[in-house]
Amino acid sequence: MNPTTAQSITITDIELRTASGSNPRFALPRQYYAKFSLGNALRTTKKTKQNKNGILWNEEMSLRGDDTSVLVAKVYQTHRMWGQQDEAVASLTYTIGEITSKLKNKGAMNSYCTFYWQQSCSVFEEPLLMDPSKTAISSGLNFTLKFTFTSVPCQPLEADEGQVADAVDTAKQAVEAMRPTPLVVDHLSSAVDTVTQVVNSSQTFATTWDILLKRIKLFDQIVTGIAEIHPYTSLAWSVISAANKVLINQNDRDDQITRLAGTMSDVLAFVHDADPLKADKAHVEPLKLLTQQVMECAYFIRDYAEHKSFATRLAKYTLSDINSKITDYQRRLQELRDAFLRGVGLQTGITVVRMMNAIEHTVEDKDLDDMPYAKGARHDQDKGCLTGTRDEMLRELREILSNPAEDAPRVCLLTGFAGSGKSAVAHSIARWFEGQKRLVSSYCFARTDVARRNPTNLFSTVARDLCDHNAEYKSALWKVVGESRSLRTSEVPKEQLERLIIEPSKHIQAIGPLVVVIDALDECGDQASRQQLVLAISRLATETSFPFNLRFLITTRPESDILSKLSPGPRLVHKQMSNISEQMVDEDIEKFIRHSLDECSSELDLSNQDWCRLLVHHSQHLFQWAATACKFIQGFGSIGLGRSARLGLLLKTRRTEAGYPLDELYKTVLLQLFKSAPEQDRFREVMGVLLALKEPLPLPCLSDLFHGHLKITIDVPEDVPIDVPVDVRAMVSSLASLLDGACDDRKPVRPLHASFYDFLRDGKRSSAFHIPFLPQHSLTLGQASLACMCRMLRFNICGLADSRILNDKVSGLSSCVDEAIPPHLSYSCLYWMDHLQHTSCSSDLIAEITLFFKGFFPYWLEVISLLSLSSASPISSALQTCIALQHWTQPKC
């Protein structure tokens, strides 16, 4: 059998044999239970009291894995005192392959065949490894574990189905493990006898919680009369009576939890029975929603039953309306099942409970708009891994981020070199958890958008997204920052994390995973500017105050300063793209290339018809190479050559065995587009301006900023330099294989990948296409911004009926601002001085600025005021503009 062949594992007839070591002669029998884990699945036996021969569990454990999967069995001994944590006293660890090999060597493996599958069944028996630190608890006992082991080859579950199945099994075990409220004694005479025993006994309420619950239940039948006779004890009895009513309700809830788990089980069985219907597109969406809802119910039961003691659940969830939540779940399951049967779509998604103690009333509107927020920093729905690629990595990350254990890693750090595809993985994970309604926030840094995406607003952005996610969190955050504008507007990462994330989260009980995705941490700035942010992020792996369900996925290049602060530990796991086998990467890249070039494959008529394999070979295991190459072959922005010719051009590029594998691809594309020196001059000037932008703009706005044409100065041999107009739209559109937004007027124009930005900025790598940081690019943008404001600013730009009314009192003003102030005018108002301050102050520039202030200064202030509706940063920007202008115009010594 192939070692990676999926197997259905069944463990039955579990027997724990005990043998005395230094066991005390009169030791009392103890209760034990066993836990079996395989991969992300965990199965637990019932708690059973030992006898002189040991313990027998007549339970069945179903698991899935292959020969490389590791089976861990641990034996736990219960504490007699309530509230003390049970501890593992013995364990064994083997891979499935090792167990099978041991059994075969002993001749214990019996195999027999049916028409459809081969089943292997055997009895496994092995001494357990004792934990020396627990010998006092185990009272000197030695353990041997014996069980019947059955394995059957099976089809591997899809990633989502596997998670659903594991979540349902975990929920079932949680329900079985919950201790319900004890039943009331039927006869009042029995209650009176018990109360009499309590009164006459020197012992008050018992030391175990179960006995306490029984007594409160009994008191409920007689307390009213006692309160009327003994007024001095009335208050005490009323408190007990009220508590008892809550206990009764809680018992009802536990019954509903059990019924909910049963409904989930029925639904999942129904899904497996109806599996062939997956091929019908009409059933796909209802089936997806149905499985998502089953997982959500499992999250709810798992976290509700996290504390198996009923008393703990009582103290934790008294104020929550659990019944209504369970009813919502059951109703939604029925709706989704019916929709699946009918093959119809639904207008709404799944029912999700994210916070157990979520407040029911509507939280009054809290003004948190002055907290820094990175607009446009969330993940892109159009980006991500092609279906069927990166499956193993995505499955691992989903399992890590969904791990329910309190001691599970809270931060998953994913590293990879430029072009390895880590950002595509991050976008896929964000998209998947958003579909589950489990994505709290996503934040993608970009080297070309540092004005909006930088270390000063990461945690404040996450905090505001959390507020949108949950009203209770917003209320808690307001209590922390409501009276302090300075705290709301803080730009210190450490303070933001402590006051905006950790402190408001201390008392929130989360249900299911809450995921935050942070992409391209290395692009938030250089080492100095990101130092404080990286230090703050390192606290995420150690802080225990915020909900243990909160999980972070962070992607970055393997920069030394980041890796030194975010080292692996119990709460931080480090995954590397380089750990994926090159064969698997190449297989995924081939799938991607064939999918991307499917429509034009007939035109790629190489003599050996092996163009796809050759492209995979040239990619050097980099997805970004393949993505750029496919865009170039498809004709995005290129001119003059047919698709087959463009493919041939790429296959002639030489592979770079070390350094920067993408550089040769970039040079090939650029040389095909800009062959002559004048064309290369124009490219450098336009791209220099694009890279100097404080924040990227969509192509129409970029063109309007320069009034259609960008004038550049070129040197003419033996002549005076001349100004040449360049069509911005035409130039940018020709670079569609290298620039995002070049073919989509809705998207900002920026390098398709950070490696292209790095290539252009490094003269040793880009040669004739090198774009250094030059003051002339800032001058071009500063003057274009001044000209744009002079063209477009006017009195009452939004056409308000009454200028005396405060902005926040004008209905619909935000939408009016978006319509009246386009992005390029907004950009000009915010950044004109940011650009000019990097140039030399001249009399010509002073004249332009003077003209602006004389004719448009009040209108500029009006626009700044209107832009401040959604954020306080425009006002701050205007103040900094005036300060920078004053400093810039002063004579330099």
Side-chain angles (χ1 to χ4, degrees), residues 606-827:
L606 294 182
S607 57
N608 59 9
Q609 294 295 311
D610 206 11
W611 54 268
C612 188
R613 183 188 61 79
L614 293 173
L615 283 176
V616 172
H617 175 72
H618 275 72
S619 73
Q620 295 182 257
H621 324 298
L622 292 178
F623 257 91
Q624 188 56 43
W625 194 100
T628 304
C630 287
K631 285 182 176 291
F632 179 70
I633 293 170
Q634 287 171 315
F636 282 79
S638 56
I639 53 176
L641 296 177
R643 289 172 173 172
S644 184
R646 290 193 289 271
L647 171 61
L649 192 64
L650 292 182
L651 295 181
K652 291 178 183 178
T653 60
R654 55 190 175 90
R655 283 167 50 102
T656 304
E657 299 302 330
Y660 307 95
L662 289 165
D663 287 3
E664 286 301 316
L665 174 64
Y666 293 147
K667 287 180 182 177
T668 299
V669 174
L670 291 175
L671 283 171
Q672 196 273 327
L673 294 173
F674 311 105
K675 296 181 175 65
S676 66
E679 289 175 334
Q680 293 170 7
D681 287 340
R682 287 193 286 272
F683 163 79
R684 286 193 298 268
E685 289 301 321
V686 173
M687 280 303 303
V689 169
L690 288 179
L691 297 184
L693 285 168
K694 297 298 179 181
E695 61 182 62
L697 293 170
L699 184 52
C701 297
L702 194 61
S703 180
D704 289 345
L705 176 63
F706 296 104
H707 216 35
H709 291 82
L710 171 65
K711 291 184 178 180
I712 65 171
T713 302
I714 61 173
D715 294 325
V716 179
E718 300 178 0
D719 205 342
V720 179
I722 59 174
D723 289 338
V724 177
V726 178
D727 188 324
V728 175
R729 177 177 283 275
M731 172 66 77
V732 171
S733 297
S734 70
L735 291 162
S737 61
L738 300 172
L739 297 179
D740 193 20
C743 292
D744 189 341
D745 287 350
R746 300 166 299 175
K747 289 186 174 182
V749 177
R750 71 182 84 203
L752 197 61
H753 193 260
S755 59
F756 184 49
Y757 177 94
D758 298 337
F759 165 79
L760 294 175
R761 288 302 194 191
D762 190 335
K764 294 181 180 179
R765 295 165 56 186
S766 51
S767 303
F769 300 101
H770 177 221
I771 300 175
F773 294 92
L774 295 177
Q776 71 188 55
H777 298 145
S778 292
L779 176 61
T780 299
L781 283 167
Q783 288 181 306
S785 297
L786 282 173
C788 177
M789 290 190 291
C790 291
R791 286 196 312 270
M792 301 186 68
L793 289 177
R794 65 181 187 275
F795 174 73
N796 193 13
I797 194 169
C798 286
L800 302 179
D802 191 341
S803 60
R804 296 170 297 179
I805 301 176
L806 296 177
N807 287 345
D808 58 0
K809 304 298 183 182
V810 179
S811 177
L813 183 56
S814 295
S815 58
C816 183
V817 168
D818 292 339
E819 186 175 336
I821 306 175
H824 55 286
L825 176 57
S826 171
Y827 181 94

Side-chain angles (χ1 to χ4, degrees), residues 205-260:
F205 289 108
T207 57
T208 64
W209 192 248
D210 287 341
I211 296 175
L212 174 60
L213 293 178
K214 289 179 181 178
R215 288 174 177 170
I216 294 178
K217 190 76 173 180
L218 297 174
F219 290 155
D220 181 54
Q221 301 179 48
I222 57 175
V223 66
T224 303
I226 294 176
E228 292 174 354
I229 299 172
H230 302 284
Y232 298 104
T233 59
S234 178
L235 178 60
W237 290 132
S238 66
V239 171
I240 294 175
S241 179
N244 178 56
K245 289 181 173 61
V246 175
L247 287 172
I248 294 174
N249 290 336
Q250 186 82 23
N251 186 67
D252 292 339
R253 290 180 206 144
D254 285 354
D255 290 342
Q256 291 195 58
I257 285 284
T258 305
R259 288 196 297 273
L260 175 59

